[in-house]
Amino acid sequence: MTSIVKPRSYIIKTRFFPFFPFRFFTPLPMTSVIDPSTIGKPRRPRRHVRTLTGYLPDTDEAGEAKWPRGEEKIWRAGTRGVDSDVPSITKSFVNHVQTSLARQAYNLDNLGAYQAAALSVRDSLLVNWNDTQMNYTRKAPKRAYYLSLEFLMGRTLDNALLNLGLKEPYAKGIKGLGFSIEDILEQERDAGLGNGGLGRLAACYLDSAATQELPVWGYGLRYKYGIFQQLISPEGNQLEAPDPWLDNQNPWELPRLDVTYEIRFYGQADRLNDGTGRALWTGGQEVLAVAYDVMIPGYGHRTTNNLRLWESKPKRGFDLNSFNAGNYEAAVESSNSAAAITAVLYPNDHTSFGKELRLKQQYFWTAASLADIIRRFKNLGKPMTKFPEYVAIQLNDTHPTLAIPELMRILIDEEDFDWDTAWQIVTQTFFYTNHTVLPEALEKWPVPLIEHVLPRHLQIIYDINLFFLQSVERKFPGDRDRLARMSLIEEGTPKQVRMAFLACIGSRKVNGVAELHSDLVRTTILKDFVEFEGISKFGNVTNGITPRRWLDQCNPELSALISKTLKLEKDVWLKDLTKLEGLLPFAEEKKFRREWTAIKQRNKERLAHYVQTTLGYTVNTNALFDVQIKRLHEYKRQTLNILGVIHRYLSLKNMTPAQRKKAIPRVVFFAGKAAPAYYIAKLTIRLIVNVARVINNDPETKEYLTLFFLPDYSVSLAEILIPASDISQHISTAGTEASGTSNMKFCLNGGLLLGTVDGANIEIAEEVGEANVFFFGHLTPAVEDIRYQHLYHPVPIETKCPALANVIDQVSQGLFGPGDVYEPLLNTIRQTDYYLLTDDFDSYIAALAMVDEAYADKEEWAKKSIRTTAKMGKFSSDRAIMEYAESYWNLEPTPVPPGPAL
Ligand SMILES: *Cc1c(COP(=O)(O)O)cnc(C)c1O
């Protein structure tokens, strides 16, 4: 379907330009040539669609076919996918090899086998997907749309097999053909359309929404290049290579070349001055958004939701305006820039840069998504005033905030609504999730940039601000400071639009992602808004993770042991994770502890094998495995960890061999990417790699301490590391990590947590009991005062924290290669120490010692591990998504009727 979002005046212009070259054409003021009554109506040409002869439409409420059966011509599309028996699977696999792939049965490699398996599984998904969409169309429930600039999906085949319940027959069928399912699964490239936690959360939520049979679609961008591939140079520097993840073709996406929208940039916006508030936005660049659909199967039933990703394309092969002006080169340039919009994911996590292309990505994606959502709503035949009764839109962080002025623009300029009615509709539709209170991550866009790229939206933002500040003024008369603090426009050169404030006032509800974080949102960055709008608008939904991927898939042995122990099929407890509590009594049984520990051991060996084959190092699997894997960022304090490792190394060096023999052997794993422009984070990687080089080759200590930086952290690598961890580190400066989700993944897999009192660590400790976690460090309320002390009453590190001072000296003096390289990193600690390393180091070292002590008692450690897994029920993303559905979106599960489609 083509839906055209294009004012009539534009059509006139393009018609005439070819005949009247630009230079002879004196533009007339738009307002005088256009009759306002003729514009603004969306032109949505009817599709010429027909029903296939003999097609049997959907069943009625009672499940009866509406058309009489038994008539010869009656048939129905997509009645079945691939049957779940091994011979049918084999047949479908071979079919795809020979037809879809056009390859010979005697000439197939693992990649080809993967593609054939994927296409075969896709056939089954498609049936469910079609029936799900038809079911939604028929029942017309309220729908929710999850707008996220990132979806960190990882691999799909294994997950699809699990959710369809087809893992075993496919493994058998493929084995029968001489291939191994494990090898085939390894062929798939990660869909890395995200940076870290925010994108992975979106992926977990899609899995949970489908599993709970909720009518939820995701909307995102189809980046040609996902998150960069990380390489480590011989010096230890991070290098970035492009991630051409689509190069082998992507069997999981369905191009919808007929679902397109035209998206405008630049041009001019002329207010009509006809008393309606409408304006006319014309000229500029028009880019085509093309839809690609990704099927999202629910676990254990047929509901298969949709993730719609937009690709940008030039509207025509070249820009007609430039062509007419005789500028062929600019025309080609402009077609390049259309494709550039979805070329690459911006690789920044928790930082915002005011780049024009990023702004264009954000508008392109929100405008295409809204146009699509509105078209679907209009098919219901309801007036736009009913929009919020049928549509909820969740804004994943401020990235999609332009959807708010965009919906205002559509309602006012195209649908003829007055301002107040339009604002009413908008503020009932949107919901905003805040993901951070870090100042550098709060999005702000320069006013001149928005004015240039989106002139009409800037007008609307100014209007929203005017009416909003008027209402603030009425409630708090004469409070000029308050008006300045709350204005959507931050004064300065240039002025900037504060996107979090726009998202807040344009939404029905605002939430943070863990209890502490939501409190911080309410008491710091949005304090004035809580005072103005009332506390009830500001809630919390603690993040979650899908136990399908993060337990059953990545740790199948543990999953099987849990099912056996609970005497429950896994499809019961994987859908109600609180059932894990049933494991608690078994913590007391020695036999069970032995089985539990043996599985952990095999997962450690699997990781050791990975390190052996990728880095060529042998790993001591009898050591304690200590893991910190996440984006590299100063607030996450990988630096604290590596300095702690050096401290341990220096202590070991100072011991006699006899003393050393009593030490708990430890293997420390790091993985994570740094933003390419984040100099300090990249220096931390360099330090880790060079410390590893020294420590791993020291014959005195390497039995007791080794260290690995695993390059190119990804979802698939996380799936190997997480089940193998004994302890994982989540050691952000208190108040900086909004939630964290990898903390949940580790604990679900029986890894214990070493962390600060921050984000979801706090709620994990509440669930599993403080006796089962290792906490250290200053608390959130102290942080501000300490930072003030650092600035105005600094104490030398030598006095404050001699142990840390010694470690820093050793680095500086060249124990791990030329010390001057690390000076900028070390200076962040010596100088303002914004992230409180000097304040938390001693208690961190003490916590590490407590971990050693606890690990020495293997039985007690196993109990802690079991108790931790047992209490992780709260952190299923099923719980989180149901909170959104019930408390925010007002959404009902809408199951696909059971049984074969017909
Ligand atoms: C879960 C996950 C994250 C988030 O990790 P945090 O430790 O919560 O920051 C980042 N990247 C990947 C690949 C993940 O799977």
Side-chain angles (χ1 to χ4, degrees):
M1 138 138 6
T2 308
S3 183
I4 295 174
V5 186
K6 164 165 90 175
R8 187 179 275 240
S9 65
Y10 181 82
I11 299 171
I12 297 167
K13 274 170 79 177
T14 49
R15 268 223 198 104
F16 285 92
F17 271 7
F19 309 106
F20 300 101
F22 198 67
R23 58 183 177 277
F24 300 134
F25 199 80
T26 314
L28 297 167
M30 282 303 163
T31 43
S32 63
V33 287
I34 307 286
D35 168 6
S37 68
T38 65
I39 62 142
K41 310 276 186 265
R43 295 127 312 271
R44 301 179 200 278
R46 279 230 144 268
R47 277 195 294 173
H48 296 287
V49 292
R50 282 174 297 151
T51 304
L52 290 174
T53 306
Y55 173 65
L56 178 64
D58 207 12
T59 54
D60 64 17
E61 288 300 327
E64 291 299 316
K66 281 180 193 154
W67 289 13
R69 290 170 189 254
E71 275 183 35
E72 254 180 359
K73 275 196 201 158
I74 290 181
W75 59 277
R76 187 174 160 175
T79 51
R80 44 203 328 199
V82 181
D83 278 338
S84 57
D85 60 294
V86 174
S88 304
I89 286 171
T90 310
K91 188 170 155 204
S92 121
F93 179 94
V94 174
N95 253 335
H96 279 296
V97 170
Q98 294 179 333
T99 59
S100 314
L101 303 177
R103 296 187 68 162
Q104 303 287 2
Y106 56 79
N107 176 25
L108 193 67
D109 54 5
N110 277 336
L111 179 61
Y114 157 70
Q115 284 170 330
L119 289 168
S120 162
V121 170
R122 189 177 90 164
D123 290 343
S124 296
L125 287 179
L126 264 168
V127 178
N128 292 346
W129 185 89
N130 269 325
D131 285 350
T132 303
Q133 304 320 315
M134 209 194 286
N135 182 50
Y136 291 158
T137 303
R138 181 161 64 102
K139 293 190 180 138
K142 184 174 184 185
R143 295 170 181 251
Y145 298 102
Y146 197 82
L147 267 59
S148 181
L149 208 40
E150 304 188 6
F151 287 92
L152 193 50
M153 305 296 283
R155 289 175 175 152
T156 294
L157 178 55
D158 199 18
N159 185 249
L161 287 172
L162 169 65
N163 285 10
L164 288 165
L166 293 176
K167 255 178 129 151
E168 272 184 42
Y170 266 87
K172 274 193 196 145
I174 282 164
K175 194 167 173 214
L177 292 164
F179 284 81
S180 108
I181 185 85
E182 287 80 17
D183 292 348
I184 284 180
L185 295 175
E186 281 295 306
Q187 293 298 312
E188 182 171 355
R189 290 201 191 189
D190 272 42
L193 306 185
N195 277 285
L198 175 142
R200 184 54 232 176
L201 183 75
C204 284
Y205 280 174
L206 291 184
D207 180 86
S208 281
T211 297
Q212 310 265 12
E213 305 184 283
L214 292 167
V216 176
W217 275 29
Y219 275 106
L221 288 182
R222 180 183 182 269
Y223 303 106
K224 190 167 169 201
Y225 298 98
I227 187 65
F228 62 84
Q229 190 196 344
Q230 180 192 52
L231 307 166
I232 303 295
S233 78
E235 299 78 39
N237 290 321
Q238 167 178 291
L239 306 175
E240 300 93 22
D243 163 43
W245 70 294
L246 294 166
D247 272 9
N248 294 338
Q249 295 197 320
N250 175 9
W252 304 111
E253 66 179 13
L254 307 163
R256 297 280 181 212
L257 302 182
D258 55 335
V259 182
T260 64
Y261 298 94
E262 290 172 12
I263 310 297
R264 183 186 304 281
F265 298 98
Y266 314 111
Q268 72 258 14
D270 301 299
R271 295 205 191 244
L272 290 179
N273 294 324
D274 62 350
T276 64
R278 284 188 295 159
L280 191 56
W281 182 22
T282 54
Q285 177 193 28
E286 279 185 291
V287 174
L288 212 57
V290 183
Y292 285 74
D293 287 346
V294 180
M295 294 168 286
I296 308 292
Y299 173 67
H301 41 65
R302 303 187 52 230
T303 293
T304 301
N305 282 337
N306 196 29
L307 165 60
R308 181 158 281 181
L309 302 177
W310 301 106
E311 180 190 49
S312 61
K313 273 206 334 199
K315 197 176 137 196
R316 304 169 214 83
F318 49 86
D319 180 326
L320 206 54
N321 284 334
S322 308
F323 184 73
N324 288 321
N327 189 348
Y328 186 79
E329 253 173 47
V332 176
E333 167 90 330
S334 135
S335 72
N336 283 342
S337 88
I341 293 173
T342 57
V344 55
L345 166 76
Y346 274 89
N348 305 316
D349 199 47
H350 291 109
T351 36
S352 134
F353 295 111
K355 286 277 181 3
E356 177 170 328
L357 188 59
R358 168 80 169 195
L359 184 69
K360 289 180 80 172
Q361 285 188 338
Q362 294 188 350
Y363 179 65
F364 172 82
W365 152 60
T366 50
S369 306
L370 261 185
D372 199 43
I373 291 165
I374 290 170
R375 179 188 54 72
R376 190 168 307 111
F377 169 76
K378 288 205 160 184
N379 286 341
L380 300 175
K382 312 268 183 198
M384 277 305 285
T385 48
K386 297 261 184 219
F387 192 65
E389 289 174 36
Y390 288 88
V391 173
I393 300 177
Q394 189 70 41
L395 308 174
N396 195 26
D397 212 334
T398 51
H399 314 148
T401 301
L402 286 168
I404 289 168
E406 170 68 0
L407 184 54
M408 286 301 281
R409 185 190 70 76
I410 293 169
L411 291 172
I412 292 170
D413 293 353
E414 295 184 3
E415 303 282 340
D416 293 347
F417 282 98
D418 62 84
W419 180 276
D420 290 344
T421 311
W423 188 242
Q424 180 71 17
I425 293 171
V426 166
T427 52
Q428 291 297 302
T429 299
F430 290 105
F431 299 84
Y432 160 51
T433 303
N434 173 283
H435 281 270
T436 180
V437 294
L438 296 184
E440 68 268 32
L442 292 177
E443 270 195 306
K444 287 172 192 162
W445 287 106
V447 165
L449 181 64
I450 297 192
E451 187 172 28
H452 176 56
V453 179
L454 301 166
R456 177 59 180 139
H457 297 78
L458 188 70
Q459 291 174 349
I460 291 169
I461 291 168
Y462 268 91
D463 288 350
I464 293 173
N465 197 36
L466 177 69
F467 295 131
F468 174 66
L469 291 180
Q470 281 173 352
S471 64
V472 176
E473 165 72 22
R474 279 195 294 278
K475 183 156 178 177
F476 300 98
D479 193 343
R480 309 236 356 212
D481 285 350
R482 184 180 296 267
L483 292 181
R485 286 200 308 270
M486 296 180 77
S487 174
L488 299 184
I489 310 297
E490 185 178 273
E491 292 302 322
T493 323
K495 291 184 165 74
Q496 309 220 69
V497 180
R498 297 157 159 166
M499 301 308 272
F501 291 4
L502 179 55
C504 172
I505 68 174
S507 293
R508 187 156 151 187
K509 281 216 164 212
V510 175
N511 74 287
V513 291
E515 292 287 356
L516 171 70
H517 167 65
S518 296
D519 270 341
L520 288 173
V521 169
R522 287 185 286 247
T523 54
T524 62
I525 56 172
L526 296 182
K527 181 168 183 274
D528 288 320
F529 294 82
V530 173
E531 279 174 28
F532 178 65
E533 304 195 72
I535 190 87
S536 63
K537 171 166 169 173
F538 299 85
N540 171 63
V541 180
T542 299
N543 285 167
I545 54 166
T546 169
R548 272 74 66 183
R549 182 177 295 263
W550 296 114
L551 178 51
D552 187 70
Q553 242 172 270
C554 70
N555 202 344
E557 279 200 72
L558 196 67
S559 174
L561 176 63
I562 290 169
S563 298
K564 186 181 92 179
T565 310
L566 296 177
K567 298 194 167 63
L568 288 173
E569 295 292 329
K570 74 180 179 189
D571 59 353
V572 175
W573 62 266
L574 280 176
K575 281 205 247 182
D576 175 6
L577 204 62
T578 59
K579 290 269 190 306
L580 289 177
E581 267 201 67
L583 294 173
L584 274 180
F586 294 92
E588 310 308 319
E589 290 188 11
K590 189 154 188 174
K591 176 170 168 288
F592 181 74
R593 289 201 298 271
R594 201 167 293 149
E595 286 182 88
W596 187 269
T597 310
I599 291 169
K600 179 65 78 184
Q601 190 59 31
R602 283 194 287 278
N603 288 326
K604 288 165 78 167
E605 276 149 21
R606 178 172 67 151
L607 172 57
H609 179 256
Y610 177 85
V611 174
Q612 181 73 255
T613 50
T614 56
L615 299 182
Y617 271 97
T618 304
V619 179
N620 173 10
T621 54
N622 293 319
L624 181 154
F625 276 23
D626 172 346
V627 184
Q628 188 180 19
I629 49 174
K630 48 185 82 236
R631 282 302 286 242
L632 258 290
H633 203 292
E634 285 166 285
Y635 87 81
K636 291 177 182 277
R637 298 203 294 192
Q638 282 93 352
T639 310
L640 180 61
N641 188 346
I642 189 60
L643 296 174
V645 171
I646 298 170
H647 179 268
R648 175 177 293 260
Y649 174 65
L650 298 175
S651 308
L652 286 165
K653 291 293 277 181
N654 281 331
M655 289 177 188
T656 64
Q659 286 172 320
R660 238 177 257 139
K661 281 222 154 54
K662 294 196 193 114
I664 301 286
R666 184 181 283 248
V667 185
V668 179
F669 297 92
F670 283 92
K673 294 174 183 174
Y678 195 165
Y679 178 60
I680 295 294
K682 289 176 115 173
L683 264 190
T684 304
I685 294 178
R686 182 161 177 173
L687 179 60
I688 294 168
V689 172
N690 284 291
V691 171
R693 190 162 309 164
V694 171
I695 291 183
N696 296 351
N697 293 306
D698 188 328
E700 269 189 332
T701 59
K702 69 178 186 186
E703 207 178 314
Y704 303 99
L705 180 63
T706 47
L707 165 64
F708 301 101
F709 185 91
L710 304 185
D712 204 31
Y713 183 48
S714 65
V715 169
S716 291
L717 185 52
E719 290 171 18
I720 299 174
L721 279 155
I722 287 168
S725 116
D726 293 308
I727 193 110
S728 69
Q729 301 206 22
H730 309 274
I731 57 177
S732 50
T733 311
T736 63
E737 185 74 273
S739 163
T741 48
S742 81
N743 43 6
M744 303 167 187
K745 299 168 195 165
F746 283 102
C747 291
L748 185 58
N749 285 275
L752 302 194
L753 185 149
L754 166 57
T756 45
V757 185
D758 201 14
N761 291 355
I762 299 171
E763 287 157 77
I764 291 174
E766 276 168 16
E767 293 295 306
V768 309
E770 288 220 18
N772 296 312
V773 302
F774 301 90
F775 266 166
F776 73 95
H778 286 83
L779 305 184
T780 303
V783 170
E784 211 179 312
D785 287 349
I786 294 172
R787 282 179 179 159
Y788 182 87
Q789 299 288 329
H790 289 180
L791 286 177
Y792 299 106
H793 307 285
V795 180
I797 306 185
E798 292 72 20
T799 319
K800 188 173 171 185
C801 188
L804 180 60
N806 180 41
V807 169
I808 287 178
D809 273 355
Q810 294 294 331
V811 176
S812 191
Q813 287 164 22
L815 188 57
F816 308 104
D820 52 337
V821 169
Y822 303 109
E823 286 303 300
L825 171 62
L826 303 177
N827 281 338
T828 63
I829 307 168
R830 294 181 183 124
Q831 290 163 10
T832 52
D833 189 22
Y834 188 75
Y835 293 102
L836 275 59
L837 274 73
T838 56
D839 307 278
D840 284 349
F841 189 77
D842 289 337
S843 72
Y844 175 59
I845 298 300
L848 286 164
M850 286 176 60
V851 172
D852 283 332
E853 197 183 316
Y855 193 71
D857 185 345
K858 289 281 153 55
E859 296 298 337
E860 202 50 41
W861 185 275
K863 285 184 196 173
K864 286 184 196 293
S865 167
I866 295 162
R867 287 176 191 144
T868 298
T869 302
K871 298 295 283 184
M872 289 305 290
K874 168 173 171 180
F875 302 100
S876 169
S877 45
D878 295 351
R879 183 270 314 154
I881 208 77
M882 273 323 261
E883 284 182 20
Y884 280 106
E886 286 173 358
S887 310
Y888 291 69
W889 307 332
N890 195 20
L891 223 61
E892 301 272 335
T894 307
V896 181
L902 247 180

